[in-house]
Amino acid sequence: MGHSRLDWEDGSVDYSIRLAVSKGLDPVTAVQMATINAAECFGLRHQGAIAPGYKADLVIVDDLEKLAIRQVFKEGACVFRNGELQEDAFSVSAAHASPEPLHSSMIQTGMMPLRADALELPLESDTCNAIGIIPNSLVTRHLKEQVARDRELRFIPSAARDQLKLAVVERHHRTGNIGLAVVKGFGFRKGAIVSSVAHDSHNIICAGVTDEDMLLAIGHVAAMNGGLAVVADGVVLASLALPVGGLLSEQSYSEVNQQMLGLYAALRTIGAPDAFNPFLTLSFLALPVIPELKLTDKGLFEFASNRHIRVQA
């Protein structure tokens, strides 16, 4: 899932190749695994090799072990040269702009407005089923947690106990569905984080210490027509708009990068740990096909029994 919070700074596939080579794998084999093998596995018949009839997607490196990239070509056009991104290669023309319906996946056609009490989680006792985060893993633990409740017997998140509230808000069909659960392992001291990238249904997913910050975070992302945000003490600390289907940005790489850096600075403000990427972790907590416990807009889902279960243990 990533080796550090700012894992994109070390690269992606190129980082994996360098890592494999550093562990003793033959450089040619490592490159083969990342290129032609992957293309053949997924049936990409015109990618993965330099040959007639293949797309001219090329990377020119100074050596195979360090994999220092000199140039990158996308479909024959140079998009990176000697440490410089060729911005013109990534400009979005009007002819290639995304269709307008993709920019209205939330407010106009998607999620319902949230009431102030929408995130209340009643519990009959102080013992509940909870999602336990395993750093840098898509798999979660099925925990039994003792939690605090208020006078109305509603779950009270606790930063001290690392017991946060997790919410998944349906955003596609105006069903009004909201799944609620307890999650342990984010380590936040305060605030909330939210994302409209939540595999595979891509509803809005939010984890936080207070309902107020969670509601603000969810509302902010909805108003942006999707994206990521960090909120604390009633203030949006940082955000990145992803208005194309709630998943993509039409901004330049450099603009997105700067906003991502702002998000991770805000994560430090709320006490997020450096051991894993909180947004990447959050995006997979709604994927019920991966063990052990996940949350959908219809509630807590237990992988082992292939059914939704109550938060109450």
Side-chain angles (χ1 to χ4, degrees), residues 134-201:
I134 302 174
N136 298 307
S137 174
L138 303 186
V139 174
T140 60
R141 294 190 179 96
H142 184 166
L143 305 177
K144 303 287 185 180
E145 290 283 305
Q146 299 291 313
V147 298
R149 297 180 296 164
D150 62 17
R151 292 182 178 180
E152 283 73 37
L153 305 183
R154 298 169 299 195
F155 167 61
I156 303 175
S158 170
R161 296 183 182 183
D162 195 12
Q163 295 171 340
L164 307 187
K165 185 177 290 184
L166 185 68
V168 174
V169 182
E170 199 280 327
R171 71 169 173 97
H172 303 289
H173 303 293
R174 299 183 68 86
T175 64
N177 291 345
I178 301 176
L180 297 170
V182 178
V183 62
K184 187 179 183 72
F186 274 117
F188 303 159
R189 294 192 303 268
K190 60 180 180 178
I193 67 172
V194 64
S195 174
S196 58
V197 180
H199 311 284
D200 275 335
S201 299

Side-chain angles (χ1 to χ4, degrees), residues 2 25 34 39 65 69 80 88 92 96 103-105 108 115 119 146 152 236 258 288:
L25 189 66
E65 291 192 12
I69 298 174
F80 177 88
D88 291 345
V92 178
H96 293 90
H103 289 261
S104 57
S105 63
Q108 294 91 334
R115 294 171 29 172
L119 303 184
Q146 299 291 313
E152 283 73 37
V236 177
Q258 284 302 309

Side-chain angles (χ1 to χ4, degrees), residues 37 46 62 66 112 125 131 159 188 190 211 248 267 303:
N37 286 11
H46 303 291
D62 290 328
K66 295 181 181 179
M112 301 279 287
S125 74
I131 299 171
F188 303 159
K190 60 180 180 178
D211 287 5
L248 300 173
L267 285 172
F303 175 86

Side-chain angles (χ1 to χ4, degrees), residues 2 77 123 133 154 185 188 224 254 264 296:
L123 295 173
I133 289 172
R154 298 169 299 195
F188 303 159
M224 293 192 300
S254 58
Y264 287 109
T296 76

Side-chain angles (χ1 to χ4, degrees), residues 167-307:
V168 174
V169 182
E170 199 280 327
R171 71 169 173 97
H172 303 289
H173 303 293
R174 299 183 68 86
T175 64
N177 291 345
I178 301 176
L180 297 170
V182 178
V183 62
K184 187 179 183 72
F186 274 117
F188 303 159
R189 294 192 303 268
K190 60 180 180 178
I193 67 172
V194 64
S195 174
S196 58
V197 180
H199 311 284
D200 275 335
S201 299
H202 294 298
N203 291 310
I204 291 182
I205 187 167
C206 180
V209 180
T210 69
D211 287 5
E212 291 78 14
D213 279 343
M214 291 178 69
L215 286 168
L216 175 60
I218 293 168
H220 182 72
V221 161
M224 293 192 300
N225 274 325
L228 316 175
V230 180
V231 169
D233 302 321
V235 176
V236 177
L237 301 180
S239 63
L240 167 64
L242 300 174
V244 183
L247 302 173
L248 300 173
S249 171
E250 289 185 327
Q251 299 181 84
S252 69
Y253 164 84
S254 58
E255 289 173 310
V256 172
N257 183 58
Q258 284 302 309
Q259 290 171 63
M260 288 295 297
L261 292 174
L263 284 169
Y264 287 109
L267 285 172
R268 290 191 289 272
T269 298
I270 66 172
D274 290 321
F276 63 93
N277 184 321
F279 278 111
L280 190 57
T281 297
L282 183 71
S283 71
F284 282 96
L285 292 182
L287 186 55
V289 298
I290 296 178
E292 294 181 342
L293 208 59
K294 294 296 191 289
L295 181 66
T296 76
D297 64 303
K298 295 183 179 180
L300 200 57
F301 189 87
E302 184 181 52
F303 175 86
S305 63
N306 194 33
R307 64 184 178 89

